[in-house]
């Protein structure tokens, strides 16, 4: 972890409310699933940094892919080339590599795509399911197609692209077709993670989930980001955000 | 130039900048990014006799120039702290101030006894906790209850005793005097303000606990007034806490009467702030030609 | 869609958005930039029996997401208000709520009598003023003193009586109940927080009065918690005051239990905010399919 | 008074810590001495607007000249062409014109120059004294020379330009040389205004001073900006900032 000044190199809309930003800064090597804490202004408003997953890092250029939700991400979307941001990271624990004998299945819902795509781009093998509400919500569609060795399936709830329905239905179908041992990598809404965890359990497959929780510090000092696990509370920011799905005690 | 400050018999800080409880955990994470020896002291996360799980999430939320937290005092418990964290803190050349709380007088007393250890420079009592015996009223909201509690704890430890006040009271000066008369060596002014946040879309509170404590720059003007008011009523040193973000804020709190300053929420945003703040303070003293930090303390001129 | 709200017998606001006392003067300046008839009501600058000069300058200063003021209750006095300002306010289709204060029970009572006039829709008592007879403790800081004061004023007027509470007390619920039992028709929660600012260069307080009241978005999370706490303890309506800047804030305060909302400091920054906020509220109700604003009030769901 | 969105057209440094900004927005005609309240950000930080005198207004272009003092003016100095600001104004009461028989004497100290220069540029006659600490603090020196009909004197405390000393010494000297009735227009530090008022009184000359006071609203509703006058408190923002010097009860 390091606190660096990053320069915005590029910031462009790539889907409905979704932007891809390239920042120039020196990071240590990252594992997909790891994230950054971004400080958006030099005044104290907004006060907290925002956690965003690392999509890629290459020769001083880090990519983040984010959806505009509130004040922070709106400010981020307004940043122009040449503006400065402070960046803390890489933070947290990322995904573990699939074992040689395992088929990798990646599943992303909504804003869960960045760490999943990072993982698929790193491994260059396996199958990726991306689920959104509609076609316009899917960013970087062409780029996904271009990952050699990864088969892409889209699901949309309105049926405007790929399979009509939710991503976990497609996951269920896909898993039935795979003969060898699987490892599932999931990031997205809690309901999706829970469903993926349950499918994996039924199948006896490994499943790693990347969990989102409100954070204040992102480096383990404030206890904001607790998640209940079979071994008690863990910190999403340092002991996660990636957890073995079987260790999570899902809420409700 | 002398920027050290004596807070109590046996408690001398090399400089007046401390971490705050709950925003520094037990020091390990910050130790990875800077040398803790540069701090006047480290204040640990609040500890209780037994480990505590804390509140449901979300536990934090952002507010204008500040934040709410309702961590629910999650901590690893006194024994685990003493075994696993205290030795590590002892490897730095800085004072180790252990923050603690209890759900009743007994627990406060037992904690004070347990923490009467080598390697603990002082203990900071968080009294913003409900007294279960007295129907849930906070220890920090009634001067008699506070005075009695402090006196009990005072008898149970040889360590310098710092009492951290709750700010949301009618007469903060009375609370401060009650703690001083109970035997406190110093006071921390003050803890967070009870507050809340609501999501108008879901029509629900944002925090799992409904309410939480407000901290950060938003509360600085109130904290500054409290330090000014309290330090003119008590004879023991006051440690400021609330919204510090810069060396300017540190100087302002010292002028108002504080002898040292804790930096909490801002260090979540800017974990490397401590060094810059201490440097800024030194530059200020050079510019003003000051020899000793004690020349600033309480030296506010009239308007 | 019905956005009107009944606050007391004879006091019905066409919408829940009010100006706040001290940031709207007597309405003339704002009337030059928008039609006051769009407001639920106008709350005037606090009046006393005789004109008051106020405090030395500087009287305001900026703080993180907020401001301090120590105007010192400068006002033109009741007689000048009645002769010169009240008739003008009467030309608008809005409720006129006259804020007032006194330095003793007598002055409060006399003010209430004087303001028992056509053209005055309600009176709002500011109790954040020191009671000189009781050694300077604020009326708003002791439940007995407050209860007695409210009861005296209640007997002296036929107008709906709103009591505006001081926030900086240990038990805000007790103060609210004391005012309700004294005969208040509604409560305003709440006034500014005692605070201060210091210039580290001059080593002096920034405000001429040394301390001042903190207002603006910085205090909104505390005000929201106070409204939520008070509205669950009293049966009379609560008017929110503290940090409102948007229709979102208005909805949040209504969810917490407020029946109306005052906009103070933010209207200094953005004098045309009122219309936009009322429009935003209407759009919110349309989006949520709500028929009446009363459906929002106090309807906060559990976390 | 109107609340308008203004676009930054130009923003450049013109002296030590001093900037000239041109904003595009529609204002009603202004009188020198009148000011604007500028809102610097769309977030609530910094919270209050900042009062700045109008230097000129011409066909939708308004000029302001400001010195960087604290957070607000620093933010202002960082604004780039094309950024937006909200502008309230013109506010307050400006200077009254000199009577035909009066010789106009303008005196400005430090950041008091903008309303004074605006007045000199409007009247195009009289004599202007600008006092600063040093030569580098004087903005728009060439522009002042180019006002036809106005004689310019500079005073600097370090003697690096014009007369060594303070502006009011020069005013004293100048007044002694003028035979006809005078009107003095002054803006600057309180000490300077007080001295100018006293010189004017001795001479029986009219003197108008533009007063600075901390403001919150700038349009008369908050009572922040009180100044003591012979007729009680007045509001600097609406009843001033320009006052007849003989009506002011100077502090100390
Ligand atoms: C480890 C981690 C990695 C993330 N990676 C990405 C990413 O790559 N791309 C992306 O678009 N988003 C990502 N998020 C979510 C992102 O952090 C939030 O969308 C963002 O903080 C919202 O900020 P805001 O100011 O726009 O919204 P706010 O106004 O603060 O809140 C809007 C909504 O966003 C959600 N939110 C707010 N703060 C957080 C938070 N700290 N963590 C999670 N959710 C929050 C809440 O549901 C809230 O209702 C990640 C979150 C975490 C914890
Ligand atoms: C009617 C009027 C017209 C003005 N015109 C000009 C102008 O044309 N050019 C120019 O450079 N300055 C002008 N000023 C002063 C200018 O408003 C302040 O310098 C500015 O507000 C400081 O803001 P800041 O955030 O940079 O400083 P802050 O950090 O807020 O404060 C820095 C210092 O500036 C002074 N100051 C702060 N706020 C005010 C205020 N509202 N009024 C007066 N002084 C203040 C204080 O002495 C303070 O110590 C004018 C002031 C008034 C009242
Ligand atoms: C996340 C968080 C956790 C905290 N935990 C504790 C605690 O355990 N014990 C305590 O006495 N104060 C606790 N505090 C209060 C801080 O120590 C500090 O007094 C307060 O936040 C005000 O200072 P600040 O504005 O610098 O943060 C906590 C504050 C935060 C933000
Ligand atoms: C400049 C100023 C003057 C005020 N004067 C009064 C007053 O005369 N009487 C009163 O009851 N409240 C007064 N208040 C308090 C406001 O009415 C309001 O309760 C408080 O500012 C919190 O709301 P806000 O955050 O929306 O400003 C004043 C506030 C300000 C900022
Ligand atoms: S966000 Fe602070 S501990 Fe995880
Ligand atoms: S600044 Fe508000 S009345 Fe003058």
């Amino acid at each position: 972890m390091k606190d660096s000044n990053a320069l915005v190199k590029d910031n462009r809309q790539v889907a409905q409310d979704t932007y891809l930003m390239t920042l120039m800064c020196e990071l240590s090597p990252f594992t997909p699933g790891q994230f950054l804490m971004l400080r958006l202004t030099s005044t104290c408003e907004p006060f907290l940094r925002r956690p965003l997953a690392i999509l890629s890092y290459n020769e001083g250029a880090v990519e983040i892919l984010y959806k505009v939700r509130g004040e922070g991400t709106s400010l981020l979307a307004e940043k122009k080339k040449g503006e400065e941001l402070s960046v803390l990271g890489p933070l947290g624990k990322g995904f573990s590599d699939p074992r040689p004998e395992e088929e990798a299945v990646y599943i992303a819902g909504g804003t869960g795509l960045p760490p999943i795509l990072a993982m698929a781009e790193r491994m260059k093998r396996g199958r990726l399911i991306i689920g959104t509400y509609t076609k316009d919500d899917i960013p970087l569609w062409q780029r996904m197609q271009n990952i050699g060795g990864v088969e892409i399936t889209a699901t949309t709830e309105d049926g405007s692209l790929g399979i009509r329905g939710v991503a976990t239905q497609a996951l269920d179908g896909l898993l039935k077709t795979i003969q060898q041992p699987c490892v599932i990598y999931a990031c997205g809404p809690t309901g999706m993670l829970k469903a993926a965890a349950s499918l994996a359990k039924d199948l006896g497959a490994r499943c790693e989930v990347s969990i989102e929780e409100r954070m204040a510090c992102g480096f383990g000092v404030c206890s904001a980001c607790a998640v209940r696990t079979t071994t008690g509370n863990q910190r999403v920011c340092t002991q996660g955000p990636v957890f073995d799905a079987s260790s999570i005690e899902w809420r409700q | 130039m002398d920027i050290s400050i004596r807070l109590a018999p046996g408690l001398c800080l090399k400089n007046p900048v401390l971490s705050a409880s709950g925003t520094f955990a037990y020091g390990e994470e910050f130790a990875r990014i800077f040398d803790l020896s540069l701090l006047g002291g480290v204040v640990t996360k609040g500890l209780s006799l037994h480990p505590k799980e804390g509140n449901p999430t979300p536990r934090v939320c952002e507010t204008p120039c500040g934040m709410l937290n309702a961590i629910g005092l999650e901590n690893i418990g006194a024994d685990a702290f003493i075994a696993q964290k205290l030795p590590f803190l002892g490897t730095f050349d800085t004072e180790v101030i252990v923050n603690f709380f209890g759900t009743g007088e007994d627990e406060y007393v037992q904690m004070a006894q347990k923490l009467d250890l080598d390697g603990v420079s002082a203990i900071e009592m968080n009294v913003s906790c409900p007294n279960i015996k007295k129907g849930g009223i906070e220890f920090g909201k009634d001067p008699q209850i506070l005075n009695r509690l402090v006196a009990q704890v005072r008898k149970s430890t040889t360590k310098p005793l710092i009492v951290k006040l709750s700010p949301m009271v009618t007469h903060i000066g009375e609370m401060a005097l009650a703690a001083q008369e109970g035997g406190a060596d110093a006071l921390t002014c003050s803890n967070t303000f009870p507050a809340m946040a609501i999501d108008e879309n879901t029509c629900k509170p944002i925090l799992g606990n409904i309410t939480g404590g407000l901290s950060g720059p938003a509360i600085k003007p109130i904290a500054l007034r409290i330090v000014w008011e309290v330090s003119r009523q008590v004879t023991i040193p006051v440690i400021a806490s609330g919204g510090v973000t810069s060396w300017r804020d540190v100087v302002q709190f010292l002028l108002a009467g504080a002898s040292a300053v804790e930096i909490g929420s801002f260090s979540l945003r800017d974990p490397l702030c401590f060094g810059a703040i201490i440097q800024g303070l030194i530059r200020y003293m050079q510019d003003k030609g000051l020899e000793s930090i004690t020349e600033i303390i309480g030296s506010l001129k009239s308007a």
Side-chain angles (χ1 to χ4, degrees), chain A, chain B:
Chain A
M1 166 181 144
K2 221 182 64 176
D3 188 1
S4 334
N5 273 330
L7 272 187
V8 178
K9 193 185 156 198
D10 192 35
N11 191 19
R12 71 176 73 174
Q13 194 169 351
V14 291
Q16 178 83 27
D17 294 332
T18 303
Y19 293 74
L20 178 69
M21 183 184 268
T22 311
L23 288 162
M24 300 309 296
C25 68
E26 287 306 318
L27 292 182
S28 32
F30 87 105
T31 312
Q34 284 192 301
F35 64 99
L36 303 172
M37 292 292 283
L38 263 67
R39 198 180 67 194
L40 306 171
T41 55
S42 57
T43 67
C44 275
E45 182 63 15
F47 187 61
L48 297 176
R49 292 179 183 244
R50 295 293 188 274
L52 289 164
I54 304 173
L55 172 59
S56 79
Y57 178 68
N58 252 309
E59 292 172 18
V62 51
E63 283 182 311
I64 55 175
L65 177 68
Y66 60 95
K67 178 156 184 154
V68 172
R69 289 205 204 162
E71 190 190 5
T73 44
S74 301
L75 280 169
L76 206 54
E78 285 166 20
K79 297 282 169 192
K80 305 261 180 301
K81 187 177 168 158
E83 289 193 64
E84 255 186 71
L85 290 173
S86 158
V87 162
L88 209 64
L91 298 165
K93 268 185 52 232
F95 293 112
S96 68
D97 286 358
R99 298 185 194 122
E101 72 279 12
E102 282 173 340
E103 171 73 327
V105 180
Y106 317 97
I107 174 167
T111 57
L113 184 62
I116 292 298
L117 180 52
M119 192 62 184
E121 288 188 336
R122 155 135 349 169
M123 302 321 306
K124 296 200 167 57
R125 66 180 178 89
R127 301 154 187 233
L128 188 155
I129 303 170
I130 159 89
T132 62
Y133 178 72
T134 185
K135 180 168 152 268
D136 294 343
D137 293 339
I138 305 182
L140 310 185
W141 182 242
Q142 203 45 57
R143 173 164 164 176
M144 283 189 258
Q145 308 298 321
N146 294 346
I147 317 173
V150 180
E151 190 186 302
I152 312 291
T153 307
T155 68
T156 53
E157 290 178 45
D158 70 354
S160 53
L161 189 84
I163 306 170
R164 177 193 297 266
V166 296
T168 45
Q169 289 169 341
L171 178 65
D172 193 12
L174 178 67
L175 291 175
K176 293 203 173 101
T177 69
I178 302 179
Q179 305 303 328
Q180 64 194 109
C182 281
V183 52
I184 301 169
Y185 301 102
C187 186
T190 307
M192 192 199 95
L193 301 186
K194 213 171 139 180
S198 145
L199 288 172
K201 194 176 167 198
D202 294 347
L203 210 72
R206 280 208 303 140
C207 178
E208 292 189 346
V209 293
S210 180
I211 302 242
E212 272 196 22
E213 189 49 77
R214 290 222 176 209
M215 294 182 174
C217 69
F219 57 98
V221 300
C222 76
S223 297
C225 61
V227 58
R228 283 187 180 274
T229 72
T230 47
T231 54
N233 276 351
Q234 302 250 25
R235 292 180 186 170
V236 173
C237 68
T238 49
Q239 296 168 301
V242 173
F243 292 92
D244 189 317
S246 65
S247 74
I248 301 292
E249 292 195 350
W250 302 99
R251 275 187 280 180
Q252 277 114 43
Chain B
M1 190 192 303
D2 183 6
I3 59 169
S4 73
I5 177 86
R6 195 172 157 285
L7 282 186
L11 180 61
C12 183
L13 310 180
K14 66 165 76 155
N15 69 58
V17 177
L18 305 168
S19 70
S21 178
T23 50
F24 211 77
Y26 311 106
E28 293 153 322
E29 295 79 7
F30 274 99
R32 262 176 240 134
I33 54 174
F34 71 85
D35 179 359
L36 303 190
S37 300
L38 76 79
L39 292 173
V42 164
V43 183
T44 68
K45 174 71 191 163
L47 290 161
S48 49
L49 212 48
H50 303 292
K52 230 173 134 2
E53 286 259 290
N55 287 327
T57 58
R59 291 176 169 188
V60 292
C61 124
E62 195 179 54
T63 67
C65 280
M67 63 177 285
L68 300 183
N69 89 80
I71 306 298
L73 296 167
E74 175 175 335
N75 76 90
I76 58 172
D79 291 330
F81 170 76
I82 294 166
Q84 297 158 29
K85 311 292 178 180
L86 191 56
F88 176 72
L89 288 172
T91 64
F92 298 94
D93 175 23
T94 192
E95 304 305 317
V96 176
I97 301 175
V98 183
N99 183 288
F100 71 103
F101 65 95
T103 50
E105 222 172 81
D106 291 356
E107 190 174 352
Y108 275 100
V109 166
Q110 287 176 56
M111 283 298 294
Q113 289 168 340
K114 244 189 203 297
L115 293 169
D116 203 352
L117 290 175
D118 277 0
V120 173
S121 312
I123 55 176
E124 183 183 57
M125 267 174 84
N126 173 3
V127 297
S128 303
C129 305
N131 180 348
I132 291 166
K133 284 219 187 105
K134 298 273 172 179
I137 180 192
E138 272 179 32
F139 287 99
K141 292 206 156 176
D142 179 299
Q144 262 108 52
I145 297 178
L146 179 65
N147 176 270
R148 201 190 125 101
L149 179 69
V150 174
Q152 296 298 319
V153 171
R154 174 68 290 171
K155 282 190 292 190
S156 321
T157 178
T158 63
K159 297 289 171 189
L161 173 62
I162 303 167
V163 176
K164 184 168 179 182
L165 299 176
S166 305
M168 203 68 195
V169 296
T170 310
H171 302 291
I172 189 79
E174 271 181 26
M175 302 304 299
L177 285 172
Q180 171 172 292
E181 280 155 22
D185 294 296
L187 302 172
T188 301
C189 295
S190 56
N191 219 309
T192 56
F193 288 74
M196 96 192 263
I198 291 174
D199 181 329
E200 70 282 351
N201 266 320
T202 61
C203 302
K204 290 183 186 176
I206 292 182
L207 296 176
N209 187 53
I210 306 180
T211 61
L214 180 63
S215 62
I219 64 167
K220 195 201 80 173
I222 315 181
L224 200 57
R225 191 265 307 161
I226 288 177
V227 165
W228 179 72
E229 205 173 310
V230 166
S231 66
R232 295 186 324 152
Q233 297 205 28
V234 297
T235 53
I236 54 179
V238 171
I239 302 168
S241 167
V244 175
T245 69
S246 66
W247 64 264
R248 286 192 177 80
D249 292 334
V250 173
V251 173
Q252 291 165 20
F253 275 110
L254 296 177
L255 287 165
S259 298
V261 169
E262 297 181 358
I263 303 176
S265 310
F266 188 70
S267 64
L268 305 178
R269 174 189 164 92
D270 188 358
L272 292 173
C273 67
F274 297 97
I277 287 175
I278 296 166
Q279 284 314 309
L281 182 59
I282 292 172
R283 247 188 343 262
Y284 174 85
M285 288 179 59
Q286 282 165 347
D287 289 352
K288 293 264 175 190
L290 300 173
E291 285 300 317
S292 161
I293 194 107
T294 54
E295 294 172 57
I296 310 180
I297 297 170
S299 73
L300 186 70
K301 297 184 197 150
S302 53

